[in-house]
Amino acid sequence: MDELLLERIHFTAKAGLSRKQVVKLLLSAGWPEKLVKRYVQKAFKEVAKGDALQVRNVGKSFGANTVLEGVDFDVRSGEIFGLIGMSGAGKTTLLNILVGALSPDSGDVLVAMPDGSSASVRKEPVKARRMFGFSTQSPSFYDRLTVRENLEHFARLYGLQKEDARRRALAVMDLVGLGSARDIEASKLSGGMQKRLDIACALIHDPSILVLDEPTADLDPIMRKNLWQLMRDINVKGTTIILASHFLAEIELLCSRIAILNSSRIVDIGSAKDLRNVYARNFNLYVQTFSQDYSRLLRALGKDARIEGGELVLNTSKPKRALSIIAKVLLEGDVASVNLSRPSLGEVFEKVVGR
């Protein structure tokens, strides 16, 4: 009896019924409530407490080209989660699957709901999509509408009544710093302001998860830093952010954890510090002298030392020993600068993907 019940639950779940629908169906068929609840718990994987979403065994191919295969990871509620990978690695495809804009060939994405339950992006796309805001690489707003008109339009699409849409638009404009531009046509905004509008459109329905695909592409350094601060401001208010970017310094600065996508799979996840500890345990030591004579240092430090751009560079796992040698060998007053640093996230990334 127990095996039959579990089999029926799995079957109805695969058919696209939600957890509540399965419970109702089985109870109406006469199955004992206690037994139904126990086996529904086994058959339906819930998002773990503290997670905003779980990605499970997601795969996607386009013809003979396998873009994603066996992708698994969790995103914690309230974090800024980074996704990095080579161009063409499948980052945008994965983000589209997360928000339900693209169906996976296998696997599923479970998103936490406000009532503590979870929704399957694959089986309950309408329900799950409301939990996401998605700012893509291409703008989603209308050029001929003003900032306010765009936001009110998208708010109405999400079912907000006219007055509620107006209030929500005002609140979002304040959040992203577009209050003074409310009556400006979108096409006349600067690049940075247009990106803020696109993010505002993604936030208009108050999603719990904001997904950003290359949000600072084509922005100058000042606009990029301003947008970094906006992401922090949004995150501080409780919104979970998933960020894909090829600016690795941006990912390292903003993200609490980073996933590396390579060869169709997530090959590792961790903080920037964790990833460096695994893949780049050594330190980089940079020494510059006034005399530019490094011959004694090169002999003392051995084959791992080299000259680059007028300074001595040493990659070492024993920085204290190297500094001790430098202090003994260099003549007093000849040291222009000594700097010690860990490898950048970019260097870690290159090592992971084998470049």
Side-chain angles (χ1 to χ4, degrees), residues 299-344:
R299 287 194 299 271
L301 294 171
K303 62 181 181 179
D304 290 330
R306 63 191 186 277
I307 305 301
E308 286 185 6
E311 64 181 354
L312 181 139
V313 181
L314 175 68
N315 185 261
T316 178
S317 61
K318 300 176 180 178
K320 289 184 178 179
R321 179 177 176 275
L323 288 169
S324 177
I325 292 172
I326 290 169
K328 290 177 181 177
V329 172
L330 282 183
L331 297 175
E332 187 177 350
D334 194 27
V335 180
S337 65
V338 176
N339 293 299
L340 185 67
S341 67
R342 295 295 301 275
S344 68

Side-chain angles (χ1 to χ4, degrees), residues 8 24 37 52 119 131 257 276:
R8 295 308 302 161
K24 185 177 180 181
K37 287 185 176 180
M131 305 307 295
R257 292 189 305 140
R276 277 197 296 265

Side-chain angles (χ1 to χ4, degrees), residues 225-285:
K225 287 184 178 180
N226 290 339
L227 206 59
W228 292 348
Q229 187 56 53
L230 174 59
M231 288 182 230
R232 291 191 188 98
D233 292 342
I234 293 169
N235 179 245
V236 164
K237 292 184 178 296
T239 304
T240 302
I241 297 178
I242 300 174
L243 167 65
S245 176
H246 66 275
F247 290 110
L248 299 190
E250 170 176 291
I251 290 284
E252 186 168 6
L253 179 69
L254 294 171
C255 299
S256 56
R257 292 189 305 140
I258 302 157
I260 302 175
L261 181 63
N262 188 50
S263 299
S264 307
R265 294 178 179 272
I266 298 294
V267 295
D268 212 335
I269 297 176
S271 67
K273 181 180 178 180
D274 291 338
L275 293 172
R276 277 197 296 265
N277 285 340
V278 172
Y279 296 102
R281 299 181 67 85
N282 289 0
F283 288 77
N284 289 330
L285 182 61

